[in-house]
Amino acid sequence: MAALIWLIAGIALFAAEVLSGDLVLVMLGTGALAAAGATALTGSHVAAVGVFAVTSIGLLVLARPALKRRFLLGPGVRTNADALVGARAVALSTVDSHQGRVKLAGDEWSARSFIEGQVIEPGTTVTVVEIAGATAVVSSEP
């Protein structure tokens, strides 16, 4: 009887996930199904609760972040500073291999040139080669 309750709870959590779409309830539903299996095999309520807790927490911590990235963001979607690499910017001040300022994605960034010794004049359109901390490493060459 307890295994049936766990089974119904698991199915209900899976069904509720359709409405939430946050991948939390599916992890809890999987934990409930695992608990149903543990109850059917052992008959122990303590073992079922332990299996539910370990499975659910493990899935929430380990599997959910990877699944969220995969399904919600899609493969190959760059975020944060990675999304700025390859973007165009405009030099606001002289940019050399040590210092400078650029307008990048609507914000003013500290910058330095990618090529040692290259000096980029204000107003020049540049390409972001990498983001190093809070500094945009740029090049005027494509």
Side-chain angles (χ1 to χ4, degrees):
M1 182 66 182
L4 182 62
I5 293 171
W6 280 111
L7 182 64
I8 292 169
I11 292 169
L13 286 166
F14 275 110
E17 178 64 38
V18 173
L19 299 175
S20 76
D22 199 34
L23 300 176
V24 171
L25 298 177
V26 75
M27 302 300 158
L28 297 175
T30 304
L33 293 178
T39 301
L41 291 174
T42 65
S44 170
H45 297 298
V46 174
V49 170
V51 166
F52 172 75
V54 169
T55 303
S56 297
I57 291 170
L59 288 172
L60 285 169
V61 171
L62 301 174
R64 184 174 174 264
L67 289 172
K68 249 185 122 171
R69 276 192 305 273
R70 175 78 172 139
F71 291 124
L72 300 181
L73 289 178
V77 174
R78 299 182 304 169
T79 58
N80 302 330
D82 291 337
L84 297 174
V85 174
R88 299 270 185 214
V90 177
L92 297 175
S93 67
T94 302
V95 178
D96 58 24
S97 54
H98 301 290
Q99 63 183 358
R101 306 291 291 172
V102 295
K103 182 90 167 186
L104 172 61
D107 293 319
E108 190 173 324
W109 281 68
S110 61
R112 64 180 170 84
S113 63
F114 179 67
I115 300 169
E116 187 69 32
Q118 180 184 36
V119 176
I120 302 168
E121 296 300 322
T124 305
T125 300
V126 296
T127 302
V128 177
V129 178
E130 69 177 300
I131 301 293
T135 303
V137 180
V138 298
S139 176
S140 62
E141 300 171 2

